[in-house]
Amino acid sequence: MFNHDKLTELNDTISRVTKLTDSFAKYPGIVKKQISNNLMTRENVMYKSMVTAEQHGQITTAENLQITTLLNVISAISEAIFVINSAGVIEMINPLAAKLFGAPNEMLIGQTWTDYLQSPFKDEYQSLFDVWNKASASNKQTAPFNHGPKEIIINRGDSTLLEADLSLSCLPSMQMGSEPLFIGIMHNLTSHKAEYHKLRHLAHTDKLTGLANRHAFDDALQTNWNDSINHDQPLCLIIIDVDYFKIFNDQFGHVNGDKCLQKIAKVLLDALPSSNAMAARYGGEEFVVILPNSNPLTAEYIAQKIQRSINQLTFTDLGLPAQTKISVSQGIACERGGQYRTPTALVCAADTALYRAKSSGRNRINISG
């Protein structure tokens, strides 16, 4: 999802942030507290965290400035960033991260961040931290930790879901005996996912008819073939060719020829018996239908339904004569119990059956032996 330059940039960001955290190591307790009214007024972006001296006394002005600088950096960076402790409790979070979690900053700080993850991501990260804590305890020192980027799904505070990617790293400047902190950087993948699905759809769809294209058909055939062999289920294939389509194009023009193919595509979609079946444009005026877990009788029934519907198509809406009709020839082949050795052999059998249907007069259905 991210190239090498982007990951390098994120690592540089983490390094710059963690250089500012040396003072955290001196104070093991982290409590939720606003730094100052002036700072909140100036930033107006996040619910601030502050390290308290506890047994060590008041922090120095320099240390206070260092912590303030860290918080300002986290708040100002144009990345969704949050900081958690080894128990997974959110200690700091900037506005962009709070927006992704779908809850106000003050509600998020002090909460366990994995509570906002959808299963199985929640279980995965909880297990990951358990392993890390055990490793650190056994080694008597903070174990190195870097995880991601990894795609996750967030159960947002507003009850919606959000796809994001997450990188988690242990802040390396923590000294022995101090409370280890982890920095998380997230990116909203909603727009990227939408664009990906759009491009994937375009890559697998025939532009003219809206059916699956040849590439999608090849993938689906291989997948269904594997399922058929592994689960000993039948698989049927229908290859459909429009009769005398060149004459139709020559007589009525290619624009009307394209609209004719669109009408046929709609017939094929309407004839599919289940969501597992697929209709695809095989090439030119040839189409193909994949019928998983279907026997020859079912395939023949579907082919007859297709034949009747196409024979009844009219083209008066295109301005063509009422007597204008078209027909298709169809070849059927079915894999049952290892009849064919490969999916290519199944296609060849259906194609041979189609040739027989055309040779015997067209507008016919032929079933391979």
Side-chain angles (χ1 to χ4, degrees):
M1 187 61 68
F2 295 96
N3 57 34
H4 180 269
D5 292 339
K6 182 62 176 176
L7 293 175
T8 300
E9 178 185 344
L10 294 180
N11 286 330
D12 290 344
T13 299
I14 294 174
S15 297
R16 289 195 299 272
V17 172
T18 56
K19 287 178 181 178
L20 298 171
T21 63
D22 288 336
S23 63
F24 281 21
K26 302 178 183 178
Y27 311 110
I30 298 177
V31 298
K32 298 177 289 294
K33 181 178 179 182
Q34 295 181 11
I35 291 181
S36 68
N37 291 332
N38 290 336
L39 184 58
M40 283 298 292
T41 300
R42 184 170 69 255
E43 299 293 332
N44 193 26
V45 291
M46 65 184 293
Y47 188 81
K48 301 295 185 177
S49 297
M50 183 89 177
V51 175
T52 59
E54 292 184 345
Q55 298 176 354
H56 300 277
Q58 295 298 318
I59 63 176
T60 66
T61 301
E63 290 164 343
N64 194 342
L65 178 61
Q66 193 174 35
I67 297 168
T68 301
T69 302
L70 170 64
L71 296 172
N72 288 341
V73 168
I74 291 177
S75 178
I77 290 176
S78 59
E79 304 279 357
I81 295 177
F82 63 97
V83 176
I84 58 176
N85 60 29
S86 59
V89 174
I90 298 174
E91 300 288 356
M92 307 179 202
I93 187 165
N94 72 357
L96 290 177
K99 184 177 180 179
L100 296 191
F101 279 112
N105 305 67
E106 59 269 19
M107 179 183 296
L108 292 166
I109 292 181
Q111 298 295 315
T112 302
W113 79 283
T114 52
D115 288 344
Y116 289 87
L117 295 185
Q118 189 180 58
S119 295
F121 305 106
K122 178 177 181 178
D123 297 335
E124 177 183 343
Y125 278 95
Q126 286 177 338
S127 298
L128 192 65
F129 269 73
D130 287 342
V131 171
W132 181 89
N133 283 319
K134 290 178 181 177
S136 296
S138 62
N139 294 331
K140 305 300 182 182
Q141 60 181 358
T142 300
F145 181 96
N146 288 284
H147 188 70
K150 178 181 176 63
E151 293 187 16
I152 61 173
I153 298 178
I154 300 173
N155 285 319
R156 304 177 75 237
D158 58 7
S159 300
T160 61
L161 298 179
L162 183 139
E163 292 181 285
D165 78 350
L166 168 68
S167 295
L168 269 180
S169 298
C170 183
L171 296 179
S173 62
M174 298 296 97
Q175 300 173 3
M176 288 182 61
S178 66
E179 173 75 8
L181 295 176
F182 300 82
I183 187 167
I185 300 179
M186 295 191 300
H187 297 89
N188 188 346
L189 295 182
T190 302
S191 60
H192 297 286
K193 286 286 189 176
E195 185 67 19
Y196 168 77
H197 289 306
K198 178 181 178 181
L199 292 174
R200 180 176 175 81
H201 176 74
L202 290 174
H204 288 77
T205 303
D206 177 63
K207 184 176 180 180
L208 175 64
T209 63
L211 299 179
N213 61 16
R214 178 65 179 272
H215 176 68
F217 163 73
D218 289 340
D219 288 347
L221 178 61
Q222 185 64 57
T223 298
N224 283 285
W225 175 269
N226 293 339
D227 290 343
S228 173
I229 299 302
N230 293 335
H231 300 99
D232 193 25
Q233 295 176 345
L235 173 64
C236 290
L237 199 66
I238 308 174
I239 295 183
I240 304 152
D241 185 78
V242 183
D243 297 327
Y244 303 111
F245 188 66
K246 185 179 184 303
I247 296 176
F248 187 99
N249 269 334
D250 291 342
Q251 186 174 359
F252 302 116
H254 286 82
V255 172
N256 285 326
D258 287 347
K259 293 179 180 179
C260 174
L261 294 179
Q262 291 170 344
K263 285 176 175 284
I264 293 172
K266 185 178 184 306
V267 168
L268 298 184
L269 287 176
D270 291 341
L272 295 181
S274 69
S275 59
N276 294 328
M278 169 187 277
R281 187 180 181 191
Y282 194 65
E285 67 271 22
E286 282 193 328
F287 299 85
V288 63
V289 172
I290 301 177
L291 299 172
N293 199 22
S294 296
N295 56 44
L297 289 177
T298 300
E300 186 176 11
Y301 169 80
I302 297 299
Q304 290 172 347
K305 182 177 180 180
I306 291 171
Q307 185 181 41
R308 288 193 300 270
S309 297
I310 289 178
N311 287 340
Q312 293 170 6
L313 286 176
T314 60
F315 300 91
T316 54
D317 57 321
L318 304 182
L320 304 185
Q323 65 270 22
T324 303
K325 296 292 180 179
I326 62 167
S327 64
V328 295
S329 298
Q330 303 180 72
I332 301 173
C334 294
E335 161 59 29
R336 293 170 295 171
Q339 183 175 356
Y340 301 102
R341 297 185 61 184
T342 66
T344 300
L346 178 65
V347 173
C348 289
D351 196 46
T352 300
L354 170 65
Y355 175 79
R356 290 173 182 156
K358 297 180 77 71
S359 298
S360 60
R362 290 181 169 81
N363 194 24
R364 299 176 186 276
I365 300 168
N366 186 273
I367 302 176
S368 178

